[in-house]
Amino acid sequence: QAAHESANTLNMTLLAGTNFVLHAAGWLEGGLVSSYEKFMIDQDQLGMMQKMAEGVDLSENAQALDAIREVGPGSHYLGCAHTQANFQTAFYRSPLADNNSFEQWEIEGEKRIEQRANALARSWLEHYEAPYLDPAIDEALKDYIAKRKDSMPDAFT
C-alpha cells in the first residue's frame, strides 16, 4: 500500500512541474522512519518518472522510421537493425520489476517487490566504495565537527 501511495504522490509531483523534491525516497510515517526497501522502490519509481519527464522524442530514430521502412507491413521488428541498435536504451528498465510469467515467478521463489528491493539495497551496501577525500579535508571536517560538538550543551552530546 505504501509503495502504491508513494508512486502516486511522486507522479503527481512530477506532473505538477516540480523539478526538485527533497524528501522523495524511503520515507514512511511523515519522515519519522525510513526503509531501505521503500528507498529502493521509490528510486525505481523516480527513474521511471525521470524517463517520462524527458518527453516524447519525435526524431526519426525515436519514431523508428528506418525500421518501418526496412520491415514494412505484416512482419515484426525484433530482428531489424533499428531494434538491435536501440532496444537497451529505448525504455526505462526497472531493476526491481519482475516481468516473468506467474509460473516463472513461482518457480523462482515467489519474491515480492519488498524482497527484491531488500536484496538490491544489500547489494548496493556491500559494493559501496567511499569516494576519495583528501586527508587534509577529512581532518579539517573532523576538527570542525569536534569543535561544534564541544560548543554545545551536554544535553546535545
Side-chain angles (χ1 to χ4, degrees):
Q1 178 69 21
H4 178 71
E5 288 174 11
S6 177
N8 285 338
T9 301
L10 294 172
N11 276 322
M12 293 306 294
T13 301
L14 174 74
L15 294 173
T18 304
N19 63 7
F20 177 78
V21 180
L22 185 58
H23 304 298
W27 278 39
L28 295 166
E29 303 286 334
L32 295 175
V33 294
S34 62
S35 159
Y36 285 121
E37 293 82 4
K38 186 165 181 316
F39 180 87
M40 300 309 286
I41 293 166
D42 288 348
Q43 68 84 25
D44 187 44
Q45 291 289 312
L46 289 165
M48 285 183 241
M49 284 175 240
Q50 182 178 7
K51 185 73 172 173
M52 185 177 84
E54 292 172 3
V56 178
D57 184 351
L58 298 175
S59 69
E60 183 158 326
N61 183 62
Q63 296 301 308
L65 298 178
D66 285 344
I68 293 168
R69 286 188 280 272
E70 177 185 337
V71 174
S75 190
H76 67 80
Y77 296 88
L78 296 177
C80 74
H82 179 272
T83 300
Q84 296 301 309
N86 290 280
F87 80 97
Q88 288 187 327
T89 58
F91 305 99
Y92 177 79
R93 294 185 59 151
S94 169
L96 294 177
D98 186 339
N99 296 315
N100 289 320
S101 67
F102 180 77
E103 293 79 14
Q104 188 65 34
W105 174 77
E106 282 184 314
I107 290 167
E108 292 178 358
E110 302 178 13
K111 291 183 182 154
R112 295 174 45 91
I113 192 164
E114 297 91 340
Q115 293 168 295
R116 294 189 305 272
N118 180 280
L120 185 59
R122 288 179 184 277
S123 175
W124 281 20
L125 290 170
E126 288 169 10
H127 295 95
Y128 174 76
E129 291 184 28
Y132 173 78
L133 179 61
D134 183 301
I137 293 173
D138 188 36
E139 192 59 38
L141 288 170
K142 288 178 182 175
D143 288 343
Y144 174 79
I145 292 168
K147 287 177 188 172
R148 291 295 295 153
K149 282 185 174 182
D150 290 343
S151 73
M152 295 180 187
D154 287 341
F156 295 107
T157 57

